[in-house]
């Protein structure tokens, strides 16, 4: 039996023993996405975690995503399949820095991208993801918004609303390093392809695209499109879902470094180890969890 087949067999057995559900983000390795019960973007994963009735949630992704699952599920055990899988963007702001910005802009509400720590969520008014950012900002009763930590998503939202957004200067290295010159080159190489990008890309890159979409929105966009080829401006893990759902369509990346190192830390081996040893349990102090849940619940209520 191959290693992969052996790992899969063990995962099925461990799932039964733990009463577990396995969820994975769209950027995970193909073989990891394939063993998951549910694969999605940040918003879908957060929603799915409010619906599960399993005792244990095995989270294949990065820490802030597993924390969101733990924020919503205090009675369930959440295991992160690689303890060291973080998000450098989420690490760009902490709660003390956010409070400093709140002192500077006392009339503004803090809207935090879900790519943030539980402490930062707890200090924010509401959360958002790349899929619902505009709706969330529109739902806030304030006219002024401190948007943290991703400047590019914040800038994109500011182009879709009349509210005044004060942007924190964070960024995702995977998306921010995609340059307009590279995009122009890719478009020249594939003149018939449609360009779709993630809103974590620079404004100059978004300006060249047909649409700025969350990862699952990209999957739906491609499926519904009559076009046959696409240039993809996000992490390369999404290609797996795109190819699986659209075997007759072609997909091209803009550059060869659209890779999130932390998303790739989870392997079938780390999934087995995490489940077998019940390790990497995600815990959040109750006082932080309750306040962070308010920000996440407000987002989920926006619909
Ligand atoms: P999505 O919510 O669009 O899947 O994005 C998550 C993320 O980390 C993007 O870099
Ligand atoms: Fe964070 Fe960027 Fe990786 Fe998404 S792709 S998890 S924002 S570092």
């Amino acid at each position: 039996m191959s290693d992969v087949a052996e790992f899969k067999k063990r995962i099925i057995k461990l799932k039964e023993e733990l009463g577990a559900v396995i969820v994975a983000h769209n950027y995970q390795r193909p073989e990891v996405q394939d063993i998951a019960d549910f694969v999605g973007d940040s918003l879908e994963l957060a929603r799915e975690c409010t619906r599960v009735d399993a005792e244990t949630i095995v989270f294949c992704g990065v820490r802030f995503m597993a924390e969101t699952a733990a924020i919503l599920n205090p009675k369930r055990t959440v295991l992160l399949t690689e303890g060291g899988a973080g998000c450098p963007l989420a690490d760009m702001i902490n709660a003390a820095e956010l409070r400093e910005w709140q002192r500077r802009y006392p009339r503004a509400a803090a809207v935090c991208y879900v790519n943030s720590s539980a402490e930062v969520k707890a200090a924010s008014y509401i959360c958002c993801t790349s899929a619902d950012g505009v709706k969330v900002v529109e739902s806030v009763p304030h006219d002024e918004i401190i948007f943290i930590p991703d400047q590019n998503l914040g800038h994109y939202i500011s182009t879709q609303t009349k509210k005044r957004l004060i942007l924190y200067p964070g960024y995702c290295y995977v998306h921010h390093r995609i340059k307009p010159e590279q995009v122009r080159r890719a478009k020249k190489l594939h003149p018939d392809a449609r360009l779709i990008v993630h809103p974590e890309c620079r404004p100059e890159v978004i300006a060249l695209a047909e649409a700025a979409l969350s990862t699952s929105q990209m999957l739906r966009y491609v499926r519904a499109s009559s076009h046959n080829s696409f240039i993809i401006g996000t992490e390369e893990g999404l290609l797996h879902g795109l190819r699986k759902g659209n075997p007759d369509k072609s997909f091209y990346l803009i550059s060869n470094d659209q890779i999130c190192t932390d998303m790739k830390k989870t392997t079938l081996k780390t999934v087995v180890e995490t489940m077998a040893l019940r390790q990497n349990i995600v815990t959040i102090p109750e006082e932080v969890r309750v306040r962070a849940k308010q920000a996440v619940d407000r987002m989920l209520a926006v619909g």
Side-chain angles (χ1 to χ4, degrees):
M1 195 184 283
S2 73
D3 272 3
V4 172
E6 181 60 31
F7 282 138
K8 282 186 179 166
K9 214 173 114 195
R10 290 192 64 191
I11 290 168
I12 292 169
K13 197 155 172 277
L14 284 161
K15 248 174 71 168
E16 247 177 56
E17 279 171 33
L18 264 67
V21 64
I22 303 180
V23 300
H25 185 262
N26 286 322
Y27 293 161
Q28 289 287 292
R29 292 172 186 273
E31 63 276 19
V32 173
Q33 293 190 35
D34 288 346
I35 52 96
D37 299 297
F38 183 84
V39 183
D41 66 8
S42 308
L43 182 60
E44 291 172 336
L45 291 168
R47 284 204 187 284
E48 183 64 17
C49 289
T50 62
R51 296 185 189 124
V52 294
D53 60 2
E55 273 167 52
T56 304
I57 299 171
V58 178
F59 211 109
C60 308
V62 295
R63 181 159 298 275
F64 78 81
M65 296 178 173
E67 279 188 354
T68 307
I71 287 166
L72 293 167
N73 288 285
K75 300 235 156 63
R76 304 185 206 290
T77 305
V78 178
L79 306 177
L80 178 57
T81 48
E82 165 55 56
C87 167
L89 165 61
D91 294 340
M92 284 182 184
I93 186 165
N94 60 35
E97 284 161 325
L98 170 56
R99 277 193 282 271
E100 173 51 34
W101 275 54
Q102 286 168 322
R103 273 191 289 275
R104 248 191 274 167
Y105 304 101
R107 288 204 316 263
V111 175
C112 80
Y113 189 25
V114 71
N115 298 43
S116 53
S117 67
E119 288 81 2
V120 166
K121 289 184 177 73
S124 299
Y125 176 76
I126 191 168
C127 248
C128 78
T129 74
S130 57
D132 63 10
V134 178
K135 264 190 180 172
V136 164
V137 162
E138 288 291 322
S139 79
V140 171
H142 313 61
D143 291 329
E144 241 180 32
I145 310 284
I146 299 171
F147 190 86
I148 52 163
D150 190 72
Q151 57 179 304
N152 292 334
L153 174 63
H155 180 274
Y156 173 69
I157 294 171
S158 76
T159 65
Q160 314 286 311
T161 176
K162 288 202 169 68
K163 303 215 177 204
R164 188 170 99 85
L165 269 69
I166 303 153
L167 307 181
Y168 190 84
Y171 60 89
C172 159
Y173 73 98
V174 180
H175 292 88
H176 198 67
R177 71 183 168 197
I178 300 175
K179 303 279 172 12
E181 309 84 79
Q182 294 174 302
V183 174
R184 284 193 202 96
R185 210 175 308 137
K187 281 182 139 191
K188 242 190 203 154
L189 275 172
H190 311 290
D192 296 331
R194 294 233 132 181
L195 169 70
I196 51 174
V197 303
H198 197 275
E200 286 174 15
C201 288
R202 292 165 182 266
E204 312 88 88
V205 167
I206 293 180
L208 297 170
E210 297 293 333
L213 303 164
S214 83
T215 55
S216 289
Q217 286 173 340
M218 285 191 199
L219 293 171
R220 289 192 284 276
Y221 180 98
V222 166
R223 195 178 276 236
S225 171
S226 56
H227 283 77
N228 286 325
S229 61
F230 299 85
I231 302 169
I232 304 298
T234 195
E235 212 271 350
E236 55 106 50
L238 190 69
L239 293 180
H240 182 59
L242 286 167
R243 287 181 178 138
K244 229 174 144 174
N246 308 276
D248 299 332
K249 298 188 178 181
S250 309
F251 302 99
Y252 310 102
L253 294 174
I254 297 162
S255 73
N256 58 9
D257 59 3
Q258 290 170 227
I259 298 172
C260 173
T261 314
D262 286 85
M263 280 287 179
K264 299 301 185 261
K265 285 179 178 168
T266 289
T267 61
L268 290 181
K269 186 164 180 275
T270 71
V271 175
V272 168
E273 282 167 3
T274 300
M275 293 174 81
L277 302 172
R278 278 101 171 130
Q279 67 185 11
N280 307 328
I281 298 176
V282 179
T283 55
I284 299 165
E286 186 58 11
E287 171 270 326
V288 174
R289 188 194 69 78
V290 170
R291 285 187 296 123
K293 187 167 182 296
Q294 243 190 0
V296 178
D297 281 345
R298 279 195 176 122
M299 169 182 82
L300 295 175
V302 170

